[in-house]
Amino acid sequence: MLTPLFEAVRPIPAIALVPVAILLFPADEQGIVFITFAAAFFPIMVSTRHAVRALPTLWEDAVRTLGGGRRHVLWHVVLPGILPGVFGGLSVGMGVSWICVISAEMISGELGVGYRTWMSYTIVDYPAVIVGMLTIGLLGWLTSAAVELAGRRVTRWLPRAEEAS
């Protein structure tokens, strides 16, 4: 039911929501949270939707044949089956949300690494700009690594490439 609405809104770049965020949250950093959420939501939603559609119906049929109910199918087939897709979406969403949070901080923020980096640029403090860029890169790498680690721990049952060879 919501798919047409989501598909109409999805092509709008999250950073284009900055004016809307400023109007909705004029004196607060909540606008940056709104933009970051909007940036991460759609990659995660699309990846999860595709993961659910890619599940073999044979798995559900097998569990139902063995007497499993809807709740059992959901918890023991659907959720574990979509986890790789969900974590793929989380990984993409993390990258996109980092781009948007830094951009939003530069445009309308009063706090954060993006704001500090932009302020350093405006006062021509280029060493601080480089430090800001390195900090952004390090934080982005750490958060991506955290999502990857969480995904590997949650999907331990999946065969890994190094195990196959």
Side-chain angles (χ1 to χ4, degrees), residues 30-79:
Q30 291 177 345
I32 293 172
V33 173
F34 168 73
I35 292 165
T36 305
F37 173 80
F41 177 75
F42 291 107
I44 296 167
M45 180 200 67
V46 169
S47 180
T48 302
R49 184 176 63 205
H50 286 292
V52 169
R53 288 182 180 162
L55 280 176
T57 55
L58 180 65
W59 294 358
E60 181 181 347
D61 294 342
V63 172
R64 288 188 181 269
T65 300
L66 295 171
R70 292 176 63 127
R71 187 173 295 161
H72 191 81
V73 169
L74 176 66
W75 282 102
H76 298 286
V77 175
V78 175
L79 290 178

Side-chain angles (χ1 to χ4, degrees), residues 72-129:
H72 191 81
V73 169
L74 176 66
W75 282 102
H76 298 286
V77 175
V78 175
L79 290 178
I82 67 170
L83 282 176
V86 169
F87 277 96
L90 284 170
S91 182
V92 172
M94 182 64 72
V96 173
S97 65
W98 262 110
I99 292 167
C100 287
V101 74
I102 297 301
S103 300
E105 287 175 353
M106 288 179 173
I107 294 169
S108 70
E110 296 177 10
L111 299 169
V113 180
Y115 173 77
R116 297 279 181 218
T117 303
W118 185 253
M119 287 299 106
S120 297
Y121 170 75
T122 60
I123 62 171
V124 192
D125 183 7
Y126 293 122
V129 172

